[in-house]
Amino acid sequence: MALHPQAGRPHGHHRDGSEPQAEATTQDMGRHPSPGRVGPAVCPIRGLRSQAARRPRRGVGTSSSRVPRSGALMPATRSRTRFIHCRGQPPRTHVSSKRPKRSRIRRCHPRVPGWTHEKRMGSSVEERLRPELSRLDQDADLLEEEEAARLPVTSLEGLFLEGDKQPNSGQGPFFYIGGTNGASIISNYCESKGWQRTQDSRCEDYKLKWCEIKCRDNYCSFREGQQLLFQLPNNKLLTTKIGLLSALREHARTLSKARLLPSTQAKVLKMEEFFPETYRLDIRDERQAFFTLFDETQIWICKPTASNQGKGIFLIRSQEEVAALQAKTQSIEDDPIYRKMPFRAPQARVVQRYVQNPLLLDGKKFDVRSYLLIACAMPYMVFFGHGYARLTLSLYDPHSSDLSGHLTNQFMQKKSPLYMLLKESTVWSMEHLNRYINDKFRKTKGLPRDWVFTTFTKRMQQIMAHCFLAVKSKLECKLGYFDLIGCDFLIDENFKVWLLEMNSNPALHTNCEVLKEVIPGVVMETLDLALETCQKSLHSQKMLPLLSQRRFVLLYNGETTDLWPRLGGSRPLARLPPPPPPRPTCEVASSVLSSVRAAADRPGARKPVPSRDAPICAFRKSQLPDSSGGSGAESEPSLCSGSPEGSRDAVGEPSLGPPEEEREEEQRSASHRGS
């Protein structure tokens, strides 16, 4: 019997003198191993994975979980070969879509005290394992290549959702709809793409959020480039009465200064040509100006700045109504409670000159609802979309006190007891309107054929583009913001087009047959364009052509004209066209002096006295009166600087870009957009 070379005692005794425990042995262990163990007669694949999953990591000093004590008697015929991984962690046991590469395996003969008789595995077993392991490595490589070949995305939304799939099988991206306006159309669209609706308004892991009412938290948690969020944060610059009025006034001042430059000869829209005369009641000077000019021969309409559906609107016809309005506004202004807590003050209002000679359809007043779509904000991609005509139920009477005869929206018409019976007559398609005008007015008014789809449509597009340019530099933009704005136009009996207002969250209900044909197409194309433009901007692709563009018409393409920030800075900034060469100094000086002399020759004009040391081309700073009754103090751009770059929108209207000073400011603030 062999003794341990380092032990002085026989194997039958422990150091403490106790009797050894009995060991269970099997006969012919090398030829009949237990199931699951790796041995000469067992397939190495199944046993190796289960054995390796239970075995500790590399670097442990033992190769078996049961190590005999020093000096224990061991069978001389026992032989076992252990396998360990040469690299990496133990094989994963959880279910995965990818099968990891098989680690190389080598044979290890541990040297454990007490194992004096040890036999090596035969060469035939080793050679039999090598082909199996080599085949496993090849199979793993082929499996990874096949999975990589299945990854290319075949749809726009697939690229948009790439890398953000939910871990649970059968659970797609989330979308949230706040409110009921158009909810069924939006929900059907998203569900057709495999998205799932969530009712949790605080859910931040969404792909689309469409809310009727804006919430600050939505914009704070917004993930730029990964999510779509309906409504720009400060769209009130367009969709409130005061916001739109202020933007148009400021833009008019900018354009009036630009007209002083000889290089600016293109015709642009004037505010008074398409927007009715309007005054703000929350500013004392404007309020007093309105009270002074009021005449009972005219009708004015008073509107809250941020309401829709005709709420809070009333007409002003008599001097008594003006006196009552004046007393009410003055009492609110003098109230000390509202002075201390201005947030409790009532909503600001505007008064607007009422268009008393509207064009009538069968004796009824109507207006036209069209759509301004800002599908992408980085860069700006702005579209025009046709809507429908809205008619009143009752015949038009300018002296009537019933507002349902003056306001055409569905909310006001539903108050009539005849609405359910005659509701289909309150909404006309644009094709119906075009046929009617062709039949009734084409010859008598000398209109071109299809005036609705030619002259009228072009005019609406020009006005929308003008309004957008007025606020473009002030809108908060991030990749993923998009907005759909309802624009209301009125046609008078002389076929002059007036912009009445712009509305956020336009009505998307389909309670009439015409609306069932128009509204779903508008909503689905809005979402299609928002998805495609966001996707192309994110992946630095050219915007045009747009595969999802069907009925909407491109008004403004900021891809080539704007300085807009790119995510990651990987895309080059758009280059502006080079400015025209500056005029010679003498020519500029002569033109300035001639304008100064002309101004001085007017009766009662003060003669300017320029400084002797100041350059002659930079001494003028003036305060230009506002075209709508207000005034604003802004310095003119230097006459020696290059003329502001003009941009031509997609509908053919020549429109001016911002002056040089504003462009430099935009370049300086470009890095702050989208942050």
Side-chain angles (χ1 to χ4, degrees), residues 9-20 70-72:
R9 301 182 183 86
H11 286 287
H13 298 276
H14 291 277
R15 293 180 180 179
D16 56 0
S18 61
E19 293 294 328
S70 177

Side-chain angles (χ1 to χ4, degrees), residues 108 110 123 226 387 602 615:
C108 178
S123 59
Q226 302 178 21
R602 290 195 299 268

Side-chain angles (χ1 to χ4, degrees), residues 519-541:
I519 299 300
V522 169
V523 174
M524 288 188 288
E525 189 171 352
T526 293
L527 293 171
D528 282 339
L529 288 171
L531 273 172
E532 184 177 357
T533 53
C534 179
Q535 172 61 33
K536 287 187 173 181
S537 176
L538 186 63
H539 290 79
S540 307
Q541 299 174 356

Side-chain angles (χ1 to χ4, degrees), residues 361 366-370 386-391 410 423-437 452-453 456 460 512-519 551:
L361 303 180
F366 79 101
D367 64 8
V368 174
R369 163 62 58 88
S370 298
H386 273 299
Y388 50 92
R390 309 182 300 183
L391 291 76
Q410 290 286 297
K423 67 176 182 179
E424 297 297 337
S425 64
T426 62
V427 180
W428 283 14
S429 66
M430 298 302 294
E431 290 78 9
H432 187 180
L433 177 63
N434 183 60
R435 291 193 303 269
Y436 184 90
I437 291 182
V452 169
F453 291 119
F456 177 55
M460 289 191 295
C512 300
E513 292 300 323
V514 172
L515 297 180
K516 291 178 182 178
E517 298 176 0
V518 174
I519 299 300
R551 296 185 179 181

Side-chain angles (χ1 to χ4, degrees), residues 207-222:
K207 287 304 173 186
L208 170 68
K209 179 171 281 191
W210 185 299
C211 297
E212 295 183 14
I213 301 175
K214 293 180 293 184
C215 176
R216 184 184 300 272
D217 294 341
N218 292 340
Y219 301 98
C220 294
S221 61
F222 175 73

